[in-house]
């Protein structure tokens, strides 16, 4: 799970500790981040695995998707810049990427979102930029159901560029700042 803020971290822990026979892993920011989700929204995010954060899907020219708290902050900054210039943008957040994978068996079918729920969050054929707190290549496989091909879907994430001591440096080295997100939109 990739909690976006304190409220989603609390709900993530609540979800993990209320389950039996499951192992959970949280990827949380080391530095403070603003709360984006209210308590009720955090519960819904954790129960569904993803949520719309800002903008209207039906009006958006591009959907910016973040996986990771720092990435969400950059995607929101990119949205603000684009909307200042007249572009309609929707921001979505994925807390639990595994909920969107293609089910491999009947057991996983109970866990992953069905097509209708998936398409309500991520409409088919929409242009997307997905910015992740992981290497993008494994996520491309996990999120295959969201990927409509290289012409309409871009992934950004860790590119094995490290050695930075701060968040801004890490995001810049891996081409995940708000400016890079905008650049990915124009590809």
């Amino acid at each position: 799970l990739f909690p976006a803020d304190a409220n989603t971290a609390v709900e993530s822990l609540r979800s993990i500790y209320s389950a039996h026979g499951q192992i959970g892993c949280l990827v949380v920011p080391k530095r403070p981040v603003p709360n984006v989700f209210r308590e009720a929204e955090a519960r819904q995010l954790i129960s569904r695995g993803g949520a719309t954060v800002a903008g209207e899907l039906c009006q958006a020219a591009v959907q910016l998707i973040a996986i990771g708290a720092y990435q969400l902050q950059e995607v929101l900054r990119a949205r603000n810049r684009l909307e200042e210039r007249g572009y309609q943008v929707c921001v979505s957040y994925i807390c639990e990427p595994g909920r969107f994978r293609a089910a491999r068996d009947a057991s996983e079918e109970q866990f992953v979102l069905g097509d209708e729920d998936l398409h309500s969050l991520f409409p088919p054929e929409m242009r997307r930029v997905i910015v992740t707190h992981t290497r993008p290549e494994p996520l491309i496989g996990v999120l295959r159901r969201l990927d409509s091909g290289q012409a309409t879907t871009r992934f950004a994430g860790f590119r094995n560029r490290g050695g930075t001591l701060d968040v801004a440096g890490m995001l810049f080295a891996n081409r995940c700042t708000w400016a890079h997100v905008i650049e990915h939109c124009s590809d």
Side-chain angles (χ1 to χ4, degrees), residues 37 41 44-45 48-54 63 91-95 100 121-122:
F37 295 92
E41 294 168 333
Q44 184 177 11
L45 171 68
R48 203 168 183 197
T52 301
V53 177
Q63 183 179 31
V91 172
S92 299
Y93 190 75
I94 294 177
C95 183
F100 304 100
L121 287 171
F122 308 103

PDB file of all heavy atoms in Angstrom, residues 37 41 44-45 48-54 63 91-95 100 121-122:
ATOM      1  N   PHE A  37      -6.589  13.562   1.640  1.00  0.00           N
ATOM      2  CA  PHE A  37      -7.838  12.832   1.839  1.00  0.00           C
ATOM      3  C   PHE A  37      -8.378  13.062   3.247  1.00  0.00           C
ATOM      4  O   PHE A  37      -7.642  12.942   4.221  1.00  0.00           O
ATOM      5  CB  PHE A  37      -7.609  11.322   1.634  1.00  0.00           C
ATOM      6  CG  PHE A  37      -7.230  10.960   0.231  1.00  0.00           C
ATOM      7  CD1 PHE A  37      -5.897  10.876  -0.150  1.00  0.00           C
ATOM      8  CD2 PHE A  37      -8.201  10.703  -0.720  1.00  0.00           C
ATOM      9  CE1 PHE A  37      -5.539  10.543  -1.442  1.00  0.00           C
ATOM     10  CE2 PHE A  37      -7.859  10.367  -2.022  1.00  0.00           C
ATOM     11  CZ  PHE A  37      -6.526  10.292  -2.384  1.00  0.00           C
ATOM     12  N   GLU A  41     -12.876   9.847   2.939  1.00  0.00           N
ATOM     13  CA  GLU A  41     -12.260   9.615   1.625  1.00  0.00           C
ATOM     14  C   GLU A  41     -11.127   8.604   1.724  1.00  0.00           C
ATOM     15  O   GLU A  41     -10.945   7.781   0.823  1.00  0.00           O
ATOM     16  CB  GLU A  41     -11.726  10.927   1.059  1.00  0.00           C
ATOM     17  CG  GLU A  41     -12.798  11.940   0.732  1.00  0.00           C
ATOM     18  CD  GLU A  41     -12.230  13.327   0.450  1.00  0.00           C
ATOM     19  OE1 GLU A  41     -11.142  13.675   0.965  1.00  0.00           O
ATOM     20  OE2 GLU A  41     -12.891  14.067  -0.302  1.00  0.00           O
ATOM     21  N   GLN A  44     -12.586   5.143   1.837  1.00  0.00           N
ATOM     22  CA  GLN A  44     -13.032   4.734   0.505  1.00  0.00           C
ATOM     23  C   GLN A  44     -11.831   4.382  -0.378  1.00  0.00           C
ATOM     24  O   GLN A  44     -11.867   3.401  -1.112  1.00  0.00           O
ATOM     25  CB  GLN A  44     -13.871   5.834  -0.139  1.00  0.00           C
ATOM     26  CG  GLN A  44     -14.435   5.431  -1.476  1.00  0.00           C
ATOM     27  CD  GLN A  44     -15.322   6.512  -2.080  1.00  0.00           C
ATOM     28  OE1 GLN A  44     -15.372   7.629  -1.615  1.00  0.00           O
ATOM     29  NE2 GLN A  44     -16.020   6.152  -3.137  1.00  0.00           N
ATOM     30  N   LEU A  45     -10.771   5.177  -0.308  1.00  0.00           N
ATOM     31  CA  LEU A  45      -9.561   4.898  -1.086  1.00  0.00           C
ATOM     32  C   LEU A  45      -9.005   3.523  -0.736  1.00  0.00           C
ATOM     33  O   LEU A  45      -8.689   2.731  -1.625  1.00  0.00           O
ATOM     34  CB  LEU A  45      -8.496   5.970  -0.830  1.00  0.00           C
ATOM     35  CG  LEU A  45      -7.110   5.694  -1.408  1.00  0.00           C
ATOM     36  CD1 LEU A  45      -7.124   5.737  -2.926  1.00  0.00           C
ATOM     37  CD2 LEU A  45      -6.096   6.683  -0.853  1.00  0.00           C
ATOM     38  N   ARG A  48     -11.206   0.634  -2.001  1.00  0.00           N
ATOM     39  CA  ARG A  48     -11.282   0.495  -3.459  1.00  0.00           C
ATOM     40  C   ARG A  48      -9.914   0.376  -4.110  1.00  0.00           C
ATOM     41  O   ARG A  48      -9.803  -0.121  -5.225  1.00  0.00           O
ATOM     42  CB  ARG A  48     -12.022   1.720  -4.005  1.00  0.00           C
ATOM     43  CG  ARG A  48     -12.655   1.505  -5.329  1.00  0.00           C
ATOM     44  CD  ARG A  48     -13.585   2.631  -5.651  1.00  0.00           C
ATOM     45  NE  ARG A  48     -14.234   2.364  -6.917  1.00  0.00           N
ATOM     46  CZ  ARG A  48     -14.844   3.270  -7.635  1.00  0.00           C
ATOM     47  NH1 ARG A  48     -14.905   4.502  -7.192  1.00  0.00           N
ATOM     48  NH2 ARG A  48     -15.393   2.959  -8.770  1.00  0.00           N
ATOM     49  N   GLY A  49      -8.879   0.885  -3.452  1.00  0.00           N
ATOM     50  CA  GLY A  49      -7.531   0.811  -4.009  1.00  0.00           C
ATOM     51  C   GLY A  49      -7.109   2.051  -4.765  1.00  0.00           C
ATOM     52  O   GLY A  49      -5.930   2.277  -4.994  1.00  0.00           O
ATOM     53  N   GLY A  50      -8.072   2.866  -5.175  1.00  0.00           N
ATOM     54  CA  GLY A  50      -7.768   4.079  -5.927  1.00  0.00           C
ATOM     55  C   GLY A  50      -8.917   5.064  -5.835  1.00  0.00           C
ATOM     56  O   GLY A  50     -10.024   4.696  -5.427  1.00  0.00           O
ATOM     57  N   ALA A  51      -8.656   6.300  -6.218  1.00  0.00           N
ATOM     58  CA  ALA A  51      -9.684   7.340  -6.134  1.00  0.00           C
ATOM     59  C   ALA A  51      -9.333   8.504  -7.043  1.00  0.00           C
ATOM     60  O   ALA A  51      -8.169   8.730  -7.362  1.00  0.00           O
ATOM     61  CB  ALA A  51      -9.826   7.842  -4.702  1.00  0.00           C
ATOM     62  N   THR A  52     -10.362   9.259  -7.414  1.00  0.00           N
ATOM     63  CA  THR A  52     -10.162  10.528  -8.106  1.00  0.00           C
ATOM     64  C   THR A  52      -9.907  11.582  -7.046  1.00  0.00           C
ATOM     65  O   THR A  52     -10.630  11.669  -6.060  1.00  0.00           O
ATOM     66  CB  THR A  52     -11.392  10.889  -8.946  1.00  0.00           C
ATOM     67  OG1 THR A  52     -11.616   9.844  -9.896  1.00  0.00           O
ATOM     68  CG2 THR A  52     -11.205  12.209  -9.670  1.00  0.00           C
ATOM     69  N   VAL A  53      -8.877  12.381  -7.251  1.00  0.00           N
ATOM     70  CA  VAL A  53      -8.474  13.395  -6.274  1.00  0.00           C
ATOM     71  C   VAL A  53      -8.948  14.781  -6.682  1.00  0.00           C
ATOM     72  O   VAL A  53      -9.427  15.543  -5.852  1.00  0.00           O
ATOM     73  CB  VAL A  53      -6.932  13.395  -6.088  1.00  0.00           C
ATOM     74  CG1 VAL A  53      -6.490  14.481  -5.136  1.00  0.00           C
ATOM     75  CG2 VAL A  53      -6.457  12.033  -5.630  1.00  0.00           C
ATOM     76  N   ALA A  54      -8.813  15.106  -7.965  1.00  0.00           N
ATOM     77  CA  ALA A  54      -9.161  16.454  -8.430  1.00  0.00           C
ATOM     78  C   ALA A  54      -9.549  16.397  -9.902  1.00  0.00           C
ATOM     79  O   ALA A  54      -9.030  15.585 -10.660  1.00  0.00           O
ATOM     80  CB  ALA A  54      -7.975  17.396  -8.243  1.00  0.00           C
ATOM     81  N   GLN A  63      -5.439  12.253 -17.830  1.00  0.00           N
ATOM     82  CA  GLN A  63      -5.567  11.800 -16.451  1.00  0.00           C
ATOM     83  C   GLN A  63      -4.161  11.596 -15.889  1.00  0.00           C
ATOM     84  O   GLN A  63      -3.386  10.804 -16.413  1.00  0.00           O
ATOM     85  CB  GLN A  63      -6.350  10.490 -16.385  1.00  0.00           C
ATOM     86  CG  GLN A  63      -6.598   9.982 -14.987  1.00  0.00           C
ATOM     87  CD  GLN A  63      -7.413   8.694 -14.968  1.00  0.00           C
ATOM     88  OE1 GLN A  63      -7.337   7.877 -15.883  1.00  0.00           O
ATOM     89  NE2 GLN A  63      -8.191   8.516 -13.918  1.00  0.00           N
ATOM     90  N   VAL A  91      -6.838  14.298 -11.737  1.00  0.00           N
ATOM     91  CA  VAL A  91      -5.799  13.640 -10.941  1.00  0.00           C
ATOM     92  C   VAL A  91      -6.434  12.473 -10.196  1.00  0.00           C
ATOM     93  O   VAL A  91      -7.464  12.626  -9.547  1.00  0.00           O
ATOM     94  CB  VAL A  91      -5.152  14.614  -9.939  1.00  0.00           C
ATOM     95  CG1 VAL A  91      -4.211  13.873  -8.989  1.00  0.00           C
ATOM     96  CG2 VAL A  91      -4.413  15.718 -10.672  1.00  0.00           C
ATOM     97  N   SER A  92      -5.799  11.312 -10.311  1.00  0.00           N
ATOM     98  CA  SER A  92      -6.241  10.120  -9.591  1.00  0.00           C
ATOM     99  C   SER A  92      -5.084   9.580  -8.778  1.00  0.00           C
ATOM    100  O   SER A  92      -3.920   9.877  -9.058  1.00  0.00           O
ATOM    101  CB  SER A  92      -6.736   9.058 -10.576  1.00  0.00           C
ATOM    102  OG  SER A  92      -7.838   9.543 -11.306  1.00  0.00           O
ATOM    103  N   TYR A  93      -5.424   8.802  -7.762  1.00  0.00           N
ATOM    104  CA  TYR A  93      -4.402   8.223  -6.892  1.00  0.00           C
ATOM    105  C   TYR A  93      -4.634   6.727  -6.766  1.00  0.00           C
ATOM    106  O   TYR A  93      -5.777   6.284  -6.603  1.00  0.00           O
ATOM    107  CB  TYR A  93      -4.433   8.865  -5.506  1.00  0.00           C
ATOM    108  CG  TYR A  93      -3.242   8.452  -4.682  1.00  0.00           C
ATOM    109  CD1 TYR A  93      -1.988   8.989  -4.939  1.00  0.00           C
ATOM    110  CD2 TYR A  93      -3.346   7.496  -3.682  1.00  0.00           C
ATOM    111  CE1 TYR A  93      -0.882   8.593  -4.212  1.00  0.00           C
ATOM    112  CE2 TYR A  93      -2.253   7.105  -2.956  1.00  0.00           C
ATOM    113  CZ  TYR A  93      -1.013   7.657  -3.224  1.00  0.00           C
ATOM    114  OH  TYR A  93       0.076   7.252  -2.521  1.00  0.00           O
ATOM    115  N   ILE A  94      -3.560   5.973  -6.844  1.00  0.00           N
ATOM    116  CA  ILE A  94      -3.614   4.533  -6.627  1.00  0.00           C
ATOM    117  C   ILE A  94      -2.836   4.227  -5.354  1.00  0.00           C
ATOM    118  O   ILE A  94      -1.638   4.502  -5.274  1.00  0.00           O
ATOM    119  CB  ILE A  94      -3.033   3.750  -7.822  1.00  0.00           C
ATOM    120  CG1 ILE A  94      -3.918   3.937  -9.054  1.00  0.00           C
ATOM    121  CG2 ILE A  94      -2.874   2.272  -7.466  1.00  0.00           C
ATOM    122  CD1 ILE A  94      -3.399   3.256 -10.303  1.00  0.00           C
ATOM    123  N   CYS A  95      -3.541   3.690  -4.387  1.00  0.00           N
ATOM    124  CA  CYS A  95      -2.917   3.317  -3.115  1.00  0.00           C
ATOM    125  C   CYS A  95      -2.482   1.852  -3.133  1.00  0.00           C
ATOM    126  O   CYS A  95      -1.471   1.498  -2.551  1.00  0.00           O
ATOM    127  CB  CYS A  95      -3.895   3.559  -1.975  1.00  0.00           C
ATOM    128  SG  CYS A  95      -3.214   3.221  -0.349  1.00  0.00           S
ATOM    129  N   PHE A 100      -5.823  -3.483  -9.229  1.00  0.00           N
ATOM    130  CA  PHE A 100      -6.146  -3.169 -10.628  1.00  0.00           C
ATOM    131  C   PHE A 100      -5.541  -4.157 -11.614  1.00  0.00           C
ATOM    132  O   PHE A 100      -5.694  -3.993 -12.813  1.00  0.00           O
ATOM    133  CB  PHE A 100      -5.711  -1.736 -10.938  1.00  0.00           C
ATOM    134  CG  PHE A 100      -6.334  -0.759 -10.001  1.00  0.00           C
ATOM    135  CD1 PHE A 100      -5.630  -0.253  -8.924  1.00  0.00           C
ATOM    136  CD2 PHE A 100      -7.656  -0.388 -10.147  1.00  0.00           C
ATOM    137  CE1 PHE A 100      -6.217   0.621  -8.026  1.00  0.00           C
ATOM    138  CE2 PHE A 100      -8.255   0.487  -9.254  1.00  0.00           C
ATOM    139  CZ  PHE A 100      -7.534   0.987  -8.187  1.00  0.00           C
ATOM    140  N   LEU A 121     -13.094   4.571 -12.566  1.00  0.00           N
ATOM    141  CA  LEU A 121     -11.919   5.326 -12.108  1.00  0.00           C
ATOM    142  C   LEU A 121     -10.963   5.662 -13.248  1.00  0.00           C
ATOM    143  O   LEU A 121     -10.324   6.708 -13.239  1.00  0.00           O
ATOM    144  CB  LEU A 121     -11.152   4.521 -11.053  1.00  0.00           C
ATOM    145  CG  LEU A 121     -11.775   4.398  -9.681  1.00  0.00           C
ATOM    146  CD1 LEU A 121     -11.007   3.386  -8.839  1.00  0.00           C
ATOM    147  CD2 LEU A 121     -11.797   5.751  -8.994  1.00  0.00           C
ATOM    148  N   PHE A 122     -10.838   4.741 -14.187  1.00  0.00           N
ATOM    149  CA  PHE A 122      -9.861   4.870 -15.274  1.00  0.00           C
ATOM    150  C   PHE A 122     -10.537   4.525 -16.598  1.00  0.00           C
ATOM    151  O   PHE A 122     -10.459   3.384 -17.064  1.00  0.00           O
ATOM    152  CB  PHE A 122      -8.662   3.941 -15.017  1.00  0.00           C
ATOM    153  CG  PHE A 122      -8.059   4.112 -13.658  1.00  0.00           C
ATOM    154  CD1 PHE A 122      -8.310   3.207 -12.643  1.00  0.00           C
ATOM    155  CD2 PHE A 122      -7.256   5.210 -13.378  1.00  0.00           C
ATOM    156  CE1 PHE A 122      -7.769   3.378 -11.384  1.00  0.00           C
ATOM    157  CE2 PHE A 122      -6.716   5.385 -12.124  1.00  0.00           C
ATOM    158  CZ  PHE A 122      -6.968   4.466 -11.119  1.00  0.00           C
TER     159      PHE A 122
END
